[in-house]
Amino acid sequence: MEQKLINLTIDNRPVSVENGTTILDAAKACGIDIPTLCHINLEGTCVNNHPASCRLCVVEVAGRRNLAPACATACTEGMEVHTNTIRVLNARRTVLELILSNHPHDCLVCAKSGNCELQNLTRKLKIQEAPYEGGEKSCFEVEKTVSIIRDMNKCILCRRCETMCNDVQTVGAIGARGRGFETTISPAFGNKLADSECTYCGQCVAVCPVGALTEKDNTGKLIRDLANPNKVVIVQTAPAVRVAIGEEFGNPAGTIVTGKLAAALRKLGFDYVFDTDFAADLTIMEEGSELLGRLNAFLAGDKNVHLPILTSCCPAWVNFFEHQFPDMLNIPSTARSPQQMFGSIAKTYWAEKMGIAREKLIVVSVMPCLAKKYECGREEFKVNGNPDVDYSLSTRELAALIKEANIDFNALEDSDFDLPLGASTGAAAIFGATGGVMEAALRTAYELHTGKTLGKVDFTEVRGLEGIRKASVDMDGFELKVGIAHGLGNARKLLEDIRAGKSEFHAIEIMACPGGCIGGGGQPLHHGNIEIIKARSNAIYREDAGKPIRKSHENPYIKQLYEEYLGKPLSEKSHALLHTKYFDKSE
Amino acid sequence: MKISSLKDLEQIKATALPRLELRNETSPETGAETCGLEKGTARIQVLTCGGTGCKASDSAGIAKAMQECIERFGVADKVEIITTGCFGFCEKGPIVKVMPDNTFYTKVTVKDAEEIIKEHIIGGRRVQRLLYTDPETNVAVSDSKHMNFYRKQVRIALRNCGLIDPENINEYIARDGYFALADCLLHKTPGEVIDTVKQSGLRGRGGAGFPTGNKWDFASRSNSDIKYVVCNADEGDPGAFMDRSIMEGDPNSIIEAMAICGYAIGAKYGLIYVRAEYPLAIHRLNTAISQARELGLLGENILGTGFSFDITIRYGAGAFVCGEETALIHSMEGKRGEPTLKPPFPAVEGYKKYPTNVNNVETWANIPVIFQKGPQWFSSIGTEKSKGTKVFALAGKINNVGLIEVPMGTTLREVIYEIGGGIKDGKKFKAVQTGGPSGGCLTEKHLDIPIDYESLGAAGSMMGSGGMIVMDEDNCMVQVARFYLGFIVEESCGKCVPCRIGNKRMLEILDKIVAGKGTEEDLEKLEELAQVIKDTALCGLGQTSPNPVLSTLANFKDEYLEHVREKKCRAKQCMSMLEYTIDPQKCIGCHLCAKKCPAEAIAGELKQPHTIDQNKCIKCGTCLSNCRLHAISLK
């Protein structure tokens, strides 16, 4: 059906838009900038927050009594919109002054300074005086969890975090509480986030326009460890970091900076610079073998086998099913995440090989993720109280540290990761994008199951940004059905199907963050621009395509690890070092 | 029994009608002669008010005591004690009314019960001391028809309040109840029903005054198998109890009206959103709903017409903002009670995303009678654009506090001076606040404007849901504005910036002014902020929230200026601007005030004039109330 176009004028310019278009989008299409603050719309995903509550995008519509919020007002035929009248400018200014009257003025020491949407707007609207200053300000206790810091005194109640947590992730850990001036965003009854069902996915942090939600910063800790001559400090960096950190240094989104990243880490003083991709290949070996094991049992007629198998790389996803689906703890793969596999191997195989005592060795990870901060502190990933991974930094934290160290990132000579724990394949590289783990697993599972070599390693049908995707793969006569979900709300749908016995899949990949790890809570902020996520995704697949080896089981150092240390996938030693168990956290 | 036809309904009416014969106030004989069993009166009914106000003064105890009496005196077969809804004249409650002679007893206590039964019911002699005394003539008036409070009232929405037993559906049916529903279902198409409502000119009584027929029309045009009819009973204005009284006094009128609307728009489900803090209203609604279900007036296949409709009650936690229809819908959905932007209007996307028609209690109460008496009859009452009547909760510094219903177009003066009996204690009228926190304060010069949606709006206030608070010379208008704004700050949902922070900042400015620290610049700031909030707030409540400030600024600017320029409060309400002083001419040095002063601020030798140390004085007023020689004054 052909859509009828709607004709209107914005600032006297004639515009034609599709029915349902908001004034904001119509203005954007003709290059008119309307300031926004609460609004965020990651087009193509389910991330869309437009409560029309900040009132900064108000515009004048001829014939209307009051001003209209451009973000939530649909264009109508013949509408006459003015975005820059004195009435509008005065209203916007007053509204912003009101917001500032209840916002701390500690920009100097705020984690968000320089990257704060409120700060930018204040500058843009050139507000230098504070006419409503001096009144009561919100006073809430700051909560510091292992992953996320909540300072609700800085909150401007845009409700983006609430939308992410409730509508997108369906976690429901936080929401608006209290009313009027006392309104705040918090877990139910004002409980602590740490005691809530929060998964630490960090999507609230990723969309917070101000400094109300930030990550627990580990850069200070890292500097102290790097300065300690008695410690051997090694680093692993996740696949999604190398396609995003360049943005922090002015590179366009999607710039691959793997070599510079390794060089910067070396320059910061890490004793060894390794790659989580190595552990991603290892994950495929273990998880892929587990999949094949369950499949073979299923094909042999075992009725009790748990299918579909679910991936377990994403710590927020693990937290999610531990909280929300405790009856299904035996369905996900028992394979640890790449971060934890890396830590475990580094502190056993590699440390033994190098003759470094466990307590002297510090394993740091650089992750696009905030849940990783929580994951590495889990008790089951410690040996005599010593964690396999000591702590995790986000992409943003590392970028800040590089800047602090005066390293001219863009001018760095490319460097390679150290061996053996820095060697990886293209299959590992794609772990950073939604569908990537599944594609990597398919490459290996197909070849191990059929004994044949894949003609085409690209499984493009599992790629993309659709919330839930499915594909079937001919495994030499057997049709393997796989599903992919990103965003926990989408994951929930697949899980509920499984619970109801309606799932058609044999294997499902789940990533908590929209877009996968490239859209993680620890990544450079996208400020609602979906093109950034897309560019990172494209970079991930370019990185894969450029690798000489593109299947995990062909990684020579992985083979060596099995030969020298682990034996074979799912061996007793593999189980002890590379697998885990899950806990019921619903209480 | 289940009613399955119009005939069945008529049968019930015929059976119940004799119960109501004695209560026919319109008959000319009513009140002519005192009734009494010894005088040969065959049957007597004693009505006691069962509204929340009178119940708080133990009207239930009065009814019980009277019941015991009639049993003790062996007259229970001839005398009936009936609990009704609110009579309206709350100032004089608890009210007891004797029928058929229409004696209106005021301020009755449990102790009076026996006397009423013995003297009046049996002996035929009115209990004079319990009659209402006209304050102007000082003459006792036995009959409400001849009281100024009732003379100008026209009771449409309140037609059954104080007349029927709200817990007996048969009495409602005897008053032609459910005949409007029957008529619609049997003889009218949904379109004709909507047209009738349109022709009546009825507009929403919740505040904004949107034409009810048009609202139904929108909802009927939405295509959906599932639709909802919602009764907004989230009455939240300070001092308002119109809706509560209707629910308590005539719950069936709401149920019948909702069913009519369900038929008109194609909805099977009705929801009543009522505050949990209205337990009596909830009880009466529940009773009425279950009685209606038993009779088959709710449920499947009503009157054998194939139309099905049922109602459930949803409880609100008492948030003012939930009176806003989108917030109300979200609250019913189990979500936070916050408004969302319209469009989409509830008529398109409402409860659980289904088309929903929301009307206020008083609006519903008008519906059945429009069908009984015809839209032309309804539209003949009122003004050109505002038809029918409006119920007000009259309160404040007025002699006759209570619930009143007047035709649209009645002037504020008539309401305040005739129905309301003028200002208490002979003080001077200063302002009247209408429209609750969204409304404004009107002054002497507005007293002759007719009460209708347009006139009140043009004068800077609004109709609102029907709160009407009268103020006298002792009210400080800055404090009045501060009170309403304080209410808004307390009740703002916190969603949009202008309402959440803007009103808070305005309140802080008012706090500053009443503390004697305000400047003329503050007044400008107040006005600027108020305009921006009006222009930018998300929902209707936020957009109207600065009205009390704007209207007092417009009408009482001199009072504001006095506060900021001279640090003077003419109403003597802003304590920071006042001082207690002792007149040395009058003070005999008895030292009593000094002894009573909790702040040890008063000093002086015995038998010598005392003085107050203003730095120590906490302005509690203890000295003033203890001085027998009136030597202490507040200036």
Side-chain angles (χ1 to χ4, degrees):
Chain A
M1 196 178 78
E2 200 177 321
Q3 274 249 322
K4 199 175 159 277
L5 287 183
I6 294 204
N7 302 297
L8 67 156
T9 66
I10 303 180
D11 296 343
N12 302 319
R13 272 190 251 176
V15 188
S16 294
V17 293
E18 273 177 24
N19 196 5
T21 308
T22 62
I23 296 177
L24 181 70
D25 288 336
K28 203 189 274 172
C30 58
I32 295 169
D33 180 40
I34 297 173
T36 56
L37 192 53
C38 63
H39 172 83
I40 191 168
N41 184 7
L42 272 182
E43 281 160 35
T45 71
C46 50
V47 181
N48 191 0
N49 182 61
H50 56 91
S53 63
C54 76
R55 315 309 279 183
L56 275 165
C57 68
V58 288
V59 294
E60 209 170 323
V61 175
R64 192 180 151 126
R65 181 173 42 85
N66 56 349
L67 300 176
C71 71
T73 308
C75 296
T76 55
E77 184 64 36
M79 199 181 228
E80 194 185 307
V81 179
H82 296 278
T83 71
N84 56 2
T85 62
I86 290 301
R87 181 177 166 206
V88 165
L89 297 184
N90 175 54
R92 274 186 204 151
R93 194 181 177 82
T94 306
V95 167
L96 190 56
E97 283 166 351
L98 285 172
I99 295 173
L100 292 173
S101 76
N102 189 29
H103 190 82
H105 293 186
D106 59 356
C107 298
L108 276 178
V109 289
C110 178
K112 258 316 188 17
S113 192
N115 212 350
C116 169
E117 292 178 40
L118 182 61
Q119 203 177 40
N120 294 345
L121 273 175
T122 306
R123 210 161 31 219
K124 186 180 159 125
L125 269 60
K126 204 164 188 322
I127 292 177
Q128 288 163 324
E129 282 170 34
Y132 303 111
E133 208 49 42
E136 188 186 332
K137 287 199 174 190
S138 301
C139 188
F140 300 104
E141 200 186 327
V142 177
E143 185 190 358
K144 297 183 178 183
T145 71
V146 290
S147 289
I148 295 170
I149 297 177
R150 295 172 56 235
D151 182 354
M152 288 303 117
N153 300 311
K154 292 179 180 168
C155 173
I156 55 160
L157 288 166
C158 68
R159 316 283 282 274
R160 290 183 187 176
C161 55
E162 193 184 350
T163 297
M164 291 311 284
C165 193
N166 295 280
D167 300 346
V168 178
Q169 301 295 56
T170 67
V171 169
I174 51 172
R177 197 172 60 84
R179 63 186 182 198
F181 193 73
E182 313 291 323
T183 309
T184 186
I185 307 292
S186 90
F189 315 114
N191 290 345
K192 298 270 185 222
L193 191 66
D195 300 330
S196 75
E197 49 278 83
C198 173
T199 66
Y200 299 115
C201 73
Q203 281 304 311
C204 55
V205 178
V207 296
C208 180
V210 292
L213 293 166
T214 50
E215 67 269 34
K216 164 81 169 58
D217 187 280
N218 285 329
T219 53
K221 204 178 199 174
L222 173 58
I223 290 175
R224 275 188 290 277
D225 279 334
L226 286 171
N228 186 340
N230 298 320
K231 301 279 186 197
V232 175
V233 187
I234 69 170
V235 65
Q236 54 163 321
T237 171
V241 177
R242 66 206 65 184
V243 297
I245 197 169
E247 294 162 28
E248 293 277 352
F249 303 97
N251 296 294
T255 309
I256 302 173
V257 294
T258 317
K260 296 192 193 314
L261 173 62
L265 291 168
R266 220 173 277 294
K267 229 172 166 135
L268 281 173
F270 283 102
D271 295 300
Y272 295 88
V273 177
F274 290 133
D275 195 355
T276 314
D277 284 20
F278 172 83
D281 280 332
L282 187 56
T283 303
I284 291 299
M285 297 306 294
E286 293 296 326
E287 209 171 276
S289 303
E290 207 182 343
L291 163 66
L292 288 178
R294 289 200 207 176
L295 261 188
N296 287 331
F298 171 73
L299 292 173
D302 181 352
K303 294 271 180 282
N304 296 323
V305 69
H306 294 299
L307 280 178
I309 186 171
L310 310 173
T311 59
S312 55
C313 316
C314 170
W317 152 237
V318 170
N319 288 338
F320 183 72
F321 70 68
E322 285 183 329
H323 275 292
Q324 315 256 353
F325 294 88
D327 52 324
M328 291 160 67
L329 296 182
N330 48 9
I331 296 179
S333 158
T334 59
R336 294 184 191 181
S337 72
Q339 168 181 271
Q340 292 311 131
M341 286 201 182
F342 180 94
S344 179
I345 292 300
K347 285 200 174 175
T348 55
Y349 167 69
W350 184 77
E352 286 165 27
K353 212 169 162 142
M354 302 294 289
I356 302 168
R358 186 178 178 98
E359 52 276 11
K360 270 189 75 175
L361 181 58
I362 301 284
V363 176
V364 177
S365 69
V366 180
M367 293 284 147
C369 179
L370 300 187
K372 290 285 176 194
K373 290 173 185 280
Y374 167 82
E375 185 189 35
C376 62
R378 289 178 78 124
E379 286 306 316
E380 60 271 28
F381 298 142
K382 290 177 183 169
V383 174
N384 299 327
N386 181 292
D388 291 345
V389 175
D390 290 83
Y391 48 88
S392 168
L393 270 69
S394 68
T395 312
R396 290 191 297 269
E397 285 166 79
L398 178 65
L401 194 60
I402 293 170
K403 289 173 191 169
E404 185 187 340
N406 263 335
I407 295 170
D408 185 352
F409 186 84
N410 292 330
L412 288 172
E413 289 263 334
D414 282 2
S415 169
D416 283 331
F417 291 113
D418 292 317
L419 293 174
L421 307 187
S424 67
T425 71
I430 56 175
F431 263 57
T434 169
V437 174
M438 184 56 75
E439 184 171 345
L442 287 175
R443 290 179 191 175
T444 291
Y446 179 88
E447 295 202 349
L448 296 185
H449 182 73
T450 62
K452 292 179 184 168
T453 304
L454 268 175
K456 183 168 151 275
V457 290
D458 292 336
F459 288 85
T460 47
E461 55 273 45
V462 300
R463 300 181 184 179
L465 283 178
E466 190 84 17
I468 295 174
R469 304 186 297 282
K470 46 183 158 182
S472 47
V473 178
D474 178 17
M475 301 278 277
D476 211 10
F478 170 70
E479 196 186 349
L480 181 74
K481 289 186 176 168
V482 299
I484 290 127
H486 61 129
L488 292 170
N490 293 321
R492 179 184 291 278
K493 290 178 198 154
L494 294 187
L495 278 200
E496 273 165 2
D497 278 353
I498 298 173
R499 191 183 256 166
K502 292 193 302 195
S503 183
E504 53 178 307
F505 301 117
H506 302 109
I508 295 175
E509 177 207 289
I510 288 167
M511 293 294 157
C513 293
C517 305
I518 50 169
Q523 290 283 63
L525 301 175
H526 52 64
H527 294 296
N529 184 354
I530 188 69
E531 296 308 321
I532 292 179
I533 304 287
K534 287 182 184 162
R536 289 177 193 165
S537 178
N538 292 337
I540 284 272
Y541 291 108
R542 283 206 312 279
E543 175 92 343
D544 166 35
K547 287 271 192 178
I549 304 172
R550 298 184 63 196
K551 297 166 214 163
S552 296
H553 56 284
E554 291 177 358
N555 181 334
Y557 293 91
I558 292 289
K559 288 184 190 165
Q560 187 188 354
L561 171 63
Y562 278 108
E563 279 160 21
E564 288 179 8
Y565 199 68
L566 296 170
K568 58 180 179 28
L570 305 181
S571 70
E572 202 174 311
K573 199 152 193 178
S574 295
H575 264 294
L577 294 177
L578 306 179
H579 288 257
T580 186
K581 55 178 187 266
Y582 305 111
F583 302 88
D584 179 354
K585 289 188 185 159
S586 59
E587 282 305 306
Chain B
M1 94 169 232
K2 280 254 188 225
I3 297 176
S4 52
S5 66
L6 186 60
K7 226 172 138 191
D8 291 348
L9 191 63
E10 277 163 352
Q11 176 69 42
I12 291 188
K13 180 182 170 181
T15 317
L17 211 47
R19 282 183 61 77
L20 289 184
E21 268 168 8
L22 293 181
R23 286 176 243 170
N24 188 358
E25 259 190 72
T26 48
S27 89
E29 298 88 58
T30 302
E33 204 175 317
T34 317
C35 61
L37 298 175
E38 286 178 356
K39 281 180 165 180
T41 312
R43 272 172 62 224
I44 295 176
Q45 289 180 335
V46 183
L47 311 181
T48 59
C49 174
T52 291
C54 285
K55 271 199 123 175
S57 306
D58 202 14
S59 66
I62 298 167
K64 197 174 151 217
M66 288 196 292
Q67 185 65 38
E68 274 167 20
C69 276
I70 57 169
E71 280 164 23
R72 186 146 40 91
F73 296 127
V75 294
D77 55 334
K78 292 175 188 145
V79 183
E80 228 183 318
I81 313 291
I82 294 162
T83 299
T84 69
C86 178
F87 290 89
F89 205 173
C90 308
E91 176 77 26
K92 299 291 175 191
I95 308 285
V96 169
K97 207 169 177 179
V98 180
M99 289 308 222
D101 69 11
N102 205 22
T103 302
F104 193 90
Y105 286 124
T106 60
K107 299 204 168 186
V108 179
T109 65
V110 175
K111 282 186 289 185
D112 302 323
E114 183 161 340
E115 192 179 347
I116 293 173
I117 299 297
K118 243 161 119 179
E119 282 295 299
H120 187 164
I121 306 305
I122 298 173
R125 293 174 297 274
R126 285 195 173 111
V127 182
Q128 291 295 322
R129 63 179 180 86
L130 293 175
L131 295 179
Y132 173 72
T133 309
D134 188 307
E136 278 170 39
T137 60
N138 249 337
V139 173
V141 186
S142 69
D143 161 9
S144 58
K145 277 200 299 190
H146 300 100
M147 293 175 190
N148 284 338
F149 181 75
Y150 286 103
R151 220 179 301 221
K152 285 221 162 170
Q153 290 198 46
V154 174
R155 300 189 134 216
I156 295 176
L158 300 175
R159 62 194 177 280
N160 290 327
C161 290
L163 182 74
I164 61 166
D165 175 357
E167 301 196 27
N168 183 345
I169 194 171
N170 293 343
E171 292 200 359
Y172 179 72
I173 292 171
R175 292 272 296 163
D176 290 327
Y178 291 103
F179 280 87
L181 174 64
D183 180 41
C184 290
L185 296 184
L186 296 166
H187 307 122
K188 284 189 165 67
T189 65
E192 285 165 353
V193 172
I194 292 171
D195 283 344
T196 305
V197 178
K198 277 186 181 170
Q199 284 159 19
S200 75
L202 176 66
R203 293 169 65 176
R205 300 297 195 236
F210 190 82
T212 307
N214 291 0
K215 208 171 189 180
W216 290 20
D217 199 6
F218 291 145
S220 77
R221 283 166 199 272
S222 289
N223 242 334
S224 173
D225 293 344
I226 299 175
K227 291 183 188 180
Y228 288 93
V229 174
V230 173
C231 171
N232 180 349
D234 190 60
E235 185 171 52
D237 287 9
F241 54 101
M242 300 76 60
D243 296 347
R244 190 191 71 205
S245 296
I246 293 172
M247 290 184 279
E248 287 173 359
D250 194 14
N252 280 292
S253 67
I254 301 165
I255 295 167
E256 183 182 3
M258 289 174 72
I260 291 172
C261 176
Y263 173 68
I265 69 167
K268 276 182 72 172
Y269 310 102
L271 296 162
I272 301 176
Y273 184 83
V274 57
R275 310 189 139 216
E277 66 220 53
Y278 278 1
L280 185 60
I282 291 168
H283 167 72
R284 299 254 162 92
L285 283 169
N286 272 325
T287 306
I289 289 171
S290 61
Q291 289 178 354
R293 276 194 199 128
E294 266 170 48
L295 290 181
L297 294 166
L298 283 179
E300 295 293 319
N301 192 18
I302 296 170
L303 291 167
T305 59
F307 171 68
S308 303
F309 190 79
D310 209 346
I311 294 176
T312 47
I313 298 184
R314 295 300 174 86
Y315 307 110
F320 179 65
V321 75
C322 288
E324 200 280 343
E325 59 182 359
T326 60
L328 181 151
I329 286 168
H330 296 313
S331 174
M332 290 202 303
E333 288 168 336
K335 296 180 187 151
R336 186 176 159 85
E338 275 181 344
T340 42
L341 208 68
K342 294 189 275 193
F345 288 94
V348 177
E349 197 181 304
Y351 180 65
K352 292 183 173 169
K353 307 247 181 226
Y354 294 110
T356 302
N357 178 67
V358 186
N359 284 129
N360 151 278
V361 169
E362 191 186 330
T363 315
W364 289 124
N366 276 296
I367 294 290
V369 74
I370 287 174
F371 286 90
Q372 284 166 23
K373 300 195 177 180
Q376 287 74 24
W377 163 81
F378 188 83
S379 64
S380 71
I381 303 162
T383 63
E384 194 200 334
K385 287 183 174 170
S386 304
K387 303 298 185 190
T389 56
K390 179 77 194 84
V391 181
F392 288 99
L394 194 56
K397 306 283 185 60
I398 193 156
N399 279 314
N400 300 339
V401 167
L403 195 69
I404 63 156
E405 183 171 357
V406 290
M408 296 279 187
T410 307
T411 64
L412 285 167
R413 191 182 299 281
E414 288 171 285
V415 169
I416 294 166
Y417 286 96
E418 295 180 35
I419 297 171
I423 309 304
K424 257 197 177 118
D425 304 325
K427 297 258 183 175
K428 208 170 154 281
F429 167 83
K430 188 176 201 173
V432 56
Q433 212 280 354
T434 70
S438 304
C441 290
L442 302 177
T443 66
E444 187 80 43
K445 69 172 188 243
H446 300 113
L447 282 181
D448 292 310
I449 62 165
I451 295 174
D452 61 41
Y453 293 99
E454 279 72 27
S455 307
L456 287 176
S461 182
M462 67 184 287
M463 179 75 82
S465 61
M468 189 179 282
I469 297 177
V470 179
M471 294 155 205
D472 67 7
E473 54 197 292
D474 290 341
N475 286 101
C476 165
M477 296 317 287
V478 183
Q479 295 279 15
V480 168
R482 185 167 157 260
F483 167 78
Y484 281 104
L485 202 62
F487 179 84
I488 285 289
V489 167
E490 191 83 1
E491 293 290 338
S492 161
C493 77
K495 186 172 178 178
C496 75
V497 173
C499 183
R500 181 178 74 241
I501 310 179
N503 281 322
K504 172 84 176 170
R505 297 298 172 236
M506 278 178 63
L507 182 62
E508 285 168 350
I509 295 173
L510 289 175
D511 285 344
K512 195 176 153 193
I513 294 172
V514 302
K517 293 172 186 158
T519 62
E520 283 187 54
E521 206 180 57
D522 285 329
L523 299 187
E524 279 170 32
K525 232 189 222 180
L526 264 185
E527 204 147 1
E528 283 167 16
L529 259 179
Q531 292 300 350
V532 170
I533 293 168
K534 264 184 102 122
D535 225 6
T536 57
L538 191 150
C539 76
L541 296 180
Q543 287 155 18
T544 53
S545 63
N547 282 356
V549 174
L550 283 172
S551 71
T552 49
L553 268 172
N555 295 325
F556 299 94
K557 188 71 178 262
D558 48 338
E559 254 190 88
Y560 277 91
L561 285 171
E562 254 172 36
H563 277 75
V564 297
R565 281 184 189 156
E566 300 162 43
K567 311 294 176 216
K568 191 181 143 206
C569 173
R570 64 173 81 168
K572 294 187 180 173
Q573 294 295 310
C574 299
M575 293 308 283
S576 67
M577 298 176 189
L578 300 169
E579 282 183 359
Y580 285 95
T581 49
I582 300 174
D583 182 352
Q585 305 297 317
K586 289 185 184 167
C587 177
I588 56 161
C590 73
H591 205 61
L592 183 63
C593 58
K595 261 200 244 171
K596 296 274 182 186
C597 176
E600 297 183 357
I602 304 179
E605 296 290 316
L606 259 184
K607 299 190 179 169
Q608 294 296 317
H610 282 41
T611 53
I612 299 174
D613 182 344
Q614 295 301 335
N615 293 323
K616 286 186 184 168
C617 176
I618 56 164
K619 298 177 182 175
C620 64
T622 308
C623 55
L624 184 130
S625 53
N626 277 287
C627 180
R628 293 167 200 154
L629 294 139
H630 307 293
I632 300 176
S633 59
L634 181 65
K635 279 178 197 150

